[in-house]
Amino acid sequence: MNDNHPADHGPARALTVADVLALPVLAAGRPQVVTGVADLDRPVRWVHITELTDPASFLKGGELVLTTGMPLPEDAAGVRRYVDELAGIGAAALVIELVRRYHRPPDALVDACRQRGLPLVTLAKDVNFLEVTQVVHTLLLGNQADAMRRAQRIHEAFTALTLRGAGPEDVVRAAAEMCGRTVVLENLVHQALICEPSGLTVEEALTDWEQRSRATGPGDNTAIRGPEGWLTASVEYQGERWGRVAMLPARTAGPTFGPEDITLLERTAMALTVARLIHPTPWERTAHRNALLDLVEQRHRSAQDARARCAALGLPTDRSHFVAALVDLRAEKRRAETESRLLQELRTAGVPALVGELAPDRLGILLALRTSQPWRPIVERLSGTVLGLAPEAVVSVGSEVTDLTDTARSFRAAARVAEATPSGQPLPPDRSFHELSDIGLRRLLYALREDARIQEYTERQLRRLIDHDTQHGTDLLTTLRHYLDAAGNKTTAARRGGLSRETMYQRLRTIERLLARDLESGDQRTELHVALTALDVLRAD
């Protein structure tokens, strides 16, 4: 590292008065800050050596002014005018050498600098001002070149994202990675649709999001706004403001947002505007889908993150109970229409919920309900809407839970119901959806039909009987079915099969011999009943 480079200066931060004073070339003059200690973080745009009584006419602002003190007026009024001109033009600081004319700064100069908030620095030893300008200007020009290269990399990165049709998640993620800060995309009603945390947790970034966002006023240009100092930029869609993207300040004290951050956020907003045109699916639906998947797959880092994420989407997380439901459409083309109608029904009913696609032919619904609000009428209403659009659809409901972080359990229960519900399964007489209590033996075996253990059990129990029927043209399997359905009553079984009692007895003895079973045993009849039910399920599937 160059010895003349300030130790704490990084490529993404402007050179400040404090940085320049720390340079060896100036430190050799034993600088002492007389006024403006709190303002040493002012950026230095240039260094200007002057021995004029009116140097401000040659300045543009941001200059570190070096002088031997020779041109300072004798009278206090002239000194005040000198300082007023420097402060008025926005000089970064005044550095005076106490070697030739002065050995201590004049009181009038100190008072004037203190009143105008202009940092005044004295040098106790002789310093080569030309060397100071050379070192500082080299650093400044190097910083400018670095800034240009970084700006070029930002433009290239977002151009590449746009050309490959990146979605909003990719754009926001890239922005957060480039700036090292949390970036959030919200819509006009202050719902945080995408949050890429960096340096903050999701909980820290999104807790009370709507309230904090509304306190951060809108604006057309990219600027720092609100009590928390967010850097925000508008995102448009078809010429109208659609929402905005916000870059949040770091949790720890550090440099404020600079020109590079503004450039980055402006390019982020532009890329999001293009992405909004390319990806027609409403981003609110995508946000709901991602939030549901995070809950179902338990991808949140903490329960607090999960609550903050869902609350920022408008789902009340302090409700007393939650219920998950799945809609299996069997026809993917109906998904978008069904999703729209479900959202409309929920808005009409005033029920907060997340609705999103969990698979190409499956929609997930999470209802957030108050203590006195029953879920069955709401699900019945939603099921009626679904079946009106897609009669072949199946609506499955999971268990009721009392905490948002337990909704994965409710979704798992709904999935078990869906797995145990074959297409065309009759609905219960009193409702239009399926729930856990509907799963009996047949539907349980249907859910497990692909398990090799079920298949092996069925084959082991019934193979000899099936083989005998196949080889001899008999129908002993049906006889066994009638017998088991009659709970072991031979008379009832014979009547159902249209057989005489003697024929029924003979066939049952043959079945016992083939299967090596005692049909008078309740346990063995149960085993055969399970195997026969599983066979029916496997053949139907």
Side-chain angles (χ1 to χ4, degrees):
M1 178 181 292
N2 190 325
D3 289 340
N4 286 326
H5 199 288
D8 62 342
H9 176 63
R13 186 168 66 83
L15 199 66
T16 65
V17 174
D19 293 334
V20 175
L21 296 181
L23 294 171
V25 68
L26 259 180
R30 293 190 299 184
Q32 180 179 356
V33 181
V34 181
T35 67
V37 175
D39 296 317
L40 296 184
D41 59 349
R42 289 183 177 182
V44 174
R45 190 186 62 82
W46 208 244
V47 175
H48 185 75
I49 304 172
T50 183
E51 300 298 338
L52 300 175
T53 57
D54 59 341
S57 59
F58 296 92
L59 305 179
K60 294 183 178 180
E63 291 88 356
L64 185 78
V65 178
L66 303 177
T67 180
T68 61
M70 299 299 293
L72 285 177
E74 296 285 348
D75 58 309
V79 171
R80 284 196 300 271
R81 184 170 58 252
Y82 182 88
V83 172
D84 285 344
E85 290 181 359
L86 291 179
I89 200 66
L94 174 62
V95 179
I96 180 172
E97 190 181 70
L98 303 180
V99 175
R100 293 169 177 80
R101 180 177 178 183
Y102 298 106
H103 295 288
R104 58 183 299 273
D107 292 340
L109 179 63
V110 174
D111 292 341
C113 288
R114 182 174 290 114
Q115 290 175 7
R116 291 304 305 268
L118 178 68
L120 173 63
V121 181
T122 61
L123 299 175
K125 295 181 64 176
D126 191 19
V127 169
N128 187 330
F129 284 174
L130 288 177
E131 186 178 354
V132 173
T133 61
Q134 180 182 8
V135 170
V136 175
H137 291 171
T138 299
L139 291 174
L140 290 172
L141 292 172
N143 284 352
Q144 291 175 10
D146 287 343
M148 291 178 64
R149 284 191 291 269
R150 290 193 298 272
Q152 181 64 26
R153 286 197 293 269
I154 290 172
H155 287 291
E156 290 173 353
F158 281 98
T159 298
L161 286 170
T162 300
L163 289 177
R164 68 179 176 85
E169 294 90 352
D170 295 328
V171 174
V172 175
R173 186 180 306 114
E177 291 174 352
M178 288 185 197
C179 68
R181 302 176 191 264
T182 296
V183 179
V184 180
L185 173 68
E186 68 168 10
N187 58 14
L188 287 178
V189 293
H190 303 278
Q191 292 177 341
L193 305 184
I194 302 173
C195 173
E196 279 294 333
S198 181
L200 298 172
T201 65
V202 172
E203 178 190 9
E204 290 170 327
L206 296 184
T207 296
D208 298 325
W209 177 262
E210 181 177 351
Q211 177 183 352
R212 294 160 55 207
S213 177
R214 290 186 183 279
T216 304
D220 294 327
N221 61 322
T222 303
I224 299 174
R225 296 183 172 88
E228 297 181 37
W230 294 359
L231 182 65
T232 66
S234 294
V235 178
E236 295 186 352
Y237 178 56
Q238 295 181 344
E240 300 289 338
R241 182 184 298 172
W242 173 87
R244 67 178 174 181
V245 59
M247 186 184 294
L248 307 189
R251 177 172 47 190
T252 56
T256 57
F257 297 114
E260 183 176 334
D261 296 309
I262 294 174
T263 299
L264 175 61
L265 202 64
E266 288 176 342
R267 284 309 309 264
T268 302
M270 290 174 58
L272 287 169
T273 297
V274 175
R276 188 70 185 85
L277 296 170
I278 296 174
H279 300 276
T281 301
W283 289 354
E284 288 82 358
R285 294 189 188 178
T286 304
H288 278 214
R289 178 199 66 195
N290 292 339
L292 285 173
L293 286 171
D294 287 345
L295 289 171
V296 170
E297 299 175 11
Q298 297 181 295
R299 298 190 299 207
H300 290 286
R301 293 178 55 185
S302 68
Q304 292 76 17
D305 279 5
R307 294 189 184 97
R309 179 76 184 89
C310 292
L313 281 174
L315 185 79
T317 58
D318 57 351
R319 294 299 173 96
S320 65
H321 57 293
F322 301 84
V323 175
L326 297 175
V327 178
D328 289 308
L329 295 167
R330 320 295 192 200
E332 185 181 349
K333 62 182 180 180
R334 294 223 180 243
R335 182 188 57 77
E337 182 183 3
T338 304
E339 187 175 356
S340 296
R341 287 291 300 276
L342 286 173
L343 288 168
Q344 182 180 346
E345 285 288 344
L346 288 164
R347 282 193 294 268
T348 302
V351 178
L354 296 178
V355 179
E357 176 191 0
L358 300 182
D361 57 354
R362 172 173 284 182
L363 291 175
I365 305 170
L366 178 62
L367 304 175
L369 304 167
R370 296 184 298 272
T371 303
S372 59
Q373 194 172 16
W375 62 266
R376 290 181 178 275
I378 299 169
V379 175
E380 186 67 41
R381 178 174 177 175
L382 297 178
S383 298
T385 299
V386 170
L387 296 177
L389 292 171
E392 76 286 353
V394 174
V395 179
S396 308
V397 183
S399 53
E400 187 176 2
V401 296
T402 57
D403 191 278
L404 179 71
T405 56
D406 291 332
T407 53
R409 177 159 53 87
S410 185
F411 273 108
R412 284 196 297 270
R416 287 199 295 271
V417 175
E419 290 168 0
T421 306
S423 180
Q425 175 73 28
L427 285 163
D430 57 339
R431 49 187 160 84
S432 58
F433 58 88
H434 301 270
E435 58 181 321
L436 281 169
S437 61
D438 298 332
I439 301 179
L441 175 62
R442 182 176 298 274
R443 290 179 64 172
L444 177 63
L445 292 171
Y446 177 80
L448 301 174
R449 64 194 182 280
E450 295 181 0
D451 192 314
R453 290 170 295 182
I454 295 295
Q455 298 173 13
E456 187 274 334
Y457 175 83
T458 303
E459 183 70 9
R460 175 163 47 84
Q461 293 286 342
L462 301 176
R463 178 180 57 82
R464 292 180 180 176
L465 194 61
I466 296 172
D467 289 346
H468 183 277
D469 281 347
T470 302
Q471 295 168 7
H472 298 87
T474 56
D475 195 8
L476 295 178
L477 196 65
T478 300
T479 301
L480 177 62
R481 186 189 309 280
H482 289 154
Y483 177 71
L484 295 175
D485 289 344
N489 188 307
K490 299 182 179 66
T491 302
T492 302
R495 185 172 62 252
R496 289 179 177 177
L499 303 174
S500 66
R501 288 174 59 86
E502 292 73 13
T503 303
M504 172 60 68
Y505 291 160
Q506 180 184 3
R507 290 190 177 188
L508 290 177
R509 285 194 295 271
T510 303
I511 292 172
E512 287 181 321
R513 177 176 56 79
L514 289 171
L515 299 181
R517 289 286 181 168
D518 179 8
L519 295 182
E520 296 297 325
S521 167
D523 287 343
Q524 294 189 29
R525 284 207 307 267
T526 299
E527 292 173 0
L528 290 172
H529 177 66
V530 171
L532 195 57
T533 305
L535 180 66
D536 292 341
V537 167
L538 292 169
R539 285 181 170 179
D541 187 57

